[in-house]
Amino acid sequence: MPKPSRIEVSAAQVKILSDPTRLRILTMLFERESTVTGLAKELGLTPATVHHHVNILKESGLIEPTRQEIHGNLVEKYYKMPAKDIETAGAWGELRDVDKVAYRLAVFALLKGIINDAMKAIQERGTVEWEAGRLSFYRIPWRRETLLEVEAIFEEARQKLERLEVKEASPEGEVLAILTTLPA
């Protein structure tokens, strides 16, 4: 039987999601399945802490185990989200104001964590990569002739992208390409 593409969550589940670590785990499992060890490494937390949060998410039905692998005497369980869309609107009316505030703060903390991770990746590698795409940054010394050269590169890229744009539409959707210069 196919899995649902959307989960309508209860007020109790929204309260469970009112923790930034659990929201971050959920977003990571949205992108791909992972183990407690893998999640802990990416989050910079201890496996025990992540295991605690994973158990809460699993017991609430927000994530599910998919498979397990044995590495020596260690059994690694993989987890994933059973659906790619979580709908909280139905439960929103059942929540107390304090729970609504906690959920919103958790979402802001999640976004802050994602931005911090992206900034760290940019500083270390000059690029941020997600399953959905990649964002690359290049720091170029400011000189008029350099700016003109960058503009020429952008013009060439724009022309190539326009040729791709004219081709037949894809059933998989579209990709957004952004060319920009920003002051550093």
Side-chain angles (χ1 to χ4, degrees), residues 73-88:
N73 60 355
L74 179 66
V75 176
E76 287 274 33
K77 291 181 183 176
Y78 284 78
Y79 297 91
K80 70 171 187 166
M81 285 181 59
K84 296 298 183 187
D85 187 12
I86 293 180
E87 180 58 56
T88 60

Side-chain angles (χ1 to χ4, degrees), residues 154-166:
F154 278 12
E155 180 59 28
E156 181 183 340
R158 188 187 59 73
Q159 290 172 4
K160 289 179 179 179
L161 291 169
E162 283 177 358
R163 285 194 297 271
L164 290 174
E165 192 176 39
V166 206

Side-chain angles (χ1 to χ4, degrees), residues 4-89:
S5 61
R6 169 180 270 191
I7 297 176
E8 301 260 347
V9 296
S10 67
Q13 288 171 314
V14 172
K15 288 180 187 179
I16 287 168
L17 293 175
S18 296
D19 180 286
T21 302
R22 289 185 204 127
L23 272 178
R24 185 73 171 119
I25 289 169
L26 210 58
T27 59
M28 293 166 73
L29 294 176
F30 174 83
E31 293 176 7
R32 67 185 168 281
E33 69 176 8
S34 187
T35 64
V36 168
T37 304
L39 293 167
K41 184 176 178 183
E42 283 189 59
L43 290 167
L45 298 172
T46 66
T49 299
V50 173
H51 187 268
H52 167 75
H53 290 293
V54 164
N55 274 341
I56 291 170
L57 289 167
K58 183 178 70 172
E59 288 171 11
S60 71
L62 293 167
I63 66 172
E64 62 186 21
T66 57
R67 61 188 171 96
Q68 61 184 29
E69 292 180 359
I70 300 173
H71 301 282
N73 60 355
L74 179 66
V75 176
E76 287 274 33
K77 291 181 183 176
Y78 284 78
Y79 297 91
K80 70 171 187 166
M81 285 181 59
K84 296 298 183 187
D85 187 12
I86 293 180
E87 180 58 56
T88 60

Side-chain angles (χ1 to χ4, degrees), residues 121-181:
I122 290 165
Q123 291 168 347
E124 291 173 358
R125 301 186 304 271
T127 186
V128 180
E129 295 192 28
W130 301 277
E131 289 216 3
R134 176 179 45 208
L135 180 61
S136 297
F137 294 83
Y138 301 91
R139 290 182 176 267
I140 301 169
W142 166 252
R143 290 191 308 272
R144 178 142 179 80
E145 60 274 7
T146 304
L147 185 58
L148 293 173
E149 194 172 334
V150 168
E151 290 299 325
I153 291 167
F154 278 12
E155 180 59 28
E156 181 183 340
R158 188 187 59 73
Q159 290 172 4
K160 289 179 179 179
L161 291 169
E162 283 177 358
R163 285 194 297 271
L164 290 174
E165 192 176 39
V166 206
K167 294 185 177 180
E168 197 172 307
S170 167
E172 289 87 23
E174 299 176 332
V175 172
L176 177 64
I178 300 171
L179 304 172
T180 185
T181 54

